[in-house]
Amino acid sequence: MEKDRVLELFDQYADMVYRIALSYLRSAQEAEDAVQAVFLKLLEGSMVVYPGKERGFLTKMTINHCKNLLSAAKRHPAVPLDQAVLLAQPENRDLFRAVMELPEKYRVVVSLHYWEGYSFREIAGFLHIGVSAVSMRVHRAKNILKKQWGRD
């Protein structure tokens, strides 16, 4: 892929790729490395990203990269969440921490749905699970968060 096109995609989607990687890897440094790796693969590879499909393509590419990292070796202890908080408002920081403490299968769907704006159908396609499974995971994650926070 051309350098200018990759830079354009980087400017537009780097934050999204970072948030997705962070939801999987739970480490700011590893998420930053994942962002670099994803865009480097685009730059070095002969992949074709079709116009209008960039967001989904990068999301799937990021998910696959993170899964490969997690399965390649045993993970060392994660960086404290205080260092990884992206959101600026204090009430959102607490919510972010609570979401990041959810089990991976819940954390990922909540992140993709509420922070990235993907539909249940799109998430199901990314994760190779059913739409009802995505819906159930979001529902269960919300119940866990309600118990922790004591509110909606």
Side-chain angles (χ1 to χ4, degrees):
M1 183 176 278
E2 293 179 17
K3 181 181 176 183
D4 293 338
R5 179 71 175 130
V6 173
L7 289 173
E8 192 177 296
L9 290 173
F10 181 85
D11 289 341
Q12 192 170 0
Y13 295 106
D15 290 340
M16 177 200 72
V17 169
Y18 176 81
R19 287 189 302 268
I20 293 168
L22 184 61
S23 72
Y24 269 94
L25 302 174
R26 291 183 168 193
S27 166
Q29 292 80 14
E30 290 181 21
E32 289 170 0
D33 290 344
V35 171
Q36 289 179 356
V38 166
F39 286 100
L40 189 58
K41 284 180 188 177
L42 280 179
L43 193 58
E44 293 174 343
S46 59
M47 295 176 235
V48 177
V49 181
Y50 297 105
K53 304 289 184 184
E54 298 94 346
R55 187 170 180 243
F57 181 84
L58 288 169
T59 298
K60 186 63 179 171
M61 199 170 166
T62 304
I63 290 170
N64 289 339
H65 179 75
C66 291
K67 284 183 176 182
N68 289 342
L69 285 177
L70 292 172
S71 66
K74 289 189 175 191
R75 308 307 300 163
H76 51 78
V79 173
L81 291 174
D82 289 341
Q83 296 177 14
V85 175
L86 300 173
L87 306 174
Q89 299 169 345
E91 64 275 4
N92 288 342
R93 286 185 186 156
D94 293 337
L95 177 60
F96 180 81
R97 284 188 192 106
V99 169
M100 293 304 284
E101 291 172 359
L102 290 171
E104 179 182 326
K105 67 181 187 177
Y106 301 134
R107 182 177 67 244
V108 170
V109 294
V110 167
S111 175
L112 288 173
H113 181 65
Y114 289 107
W115 291 333
E116 300 306 327
Y118 284 108
S119 69
F120 288 175
R121 182 174 306 268
E122 290 171 316
I123 296 169
F126 295 143
L127 301 178
H128 302 291
I129 59 176
V131 175
S132 61
V134 173
S135 174
M136 183 56 68
R137 288 179 185 186
V138 169
H139 177 73
R140 287 179 180 163
K142 285 169 65 175
N143 285 340
I144 292 169
L145 292 171
K146 282 180 188 178
K147 287 179 186 175
Q148 288 177 350
W149 281 43
R151 62 175 192 234
D152 290 338

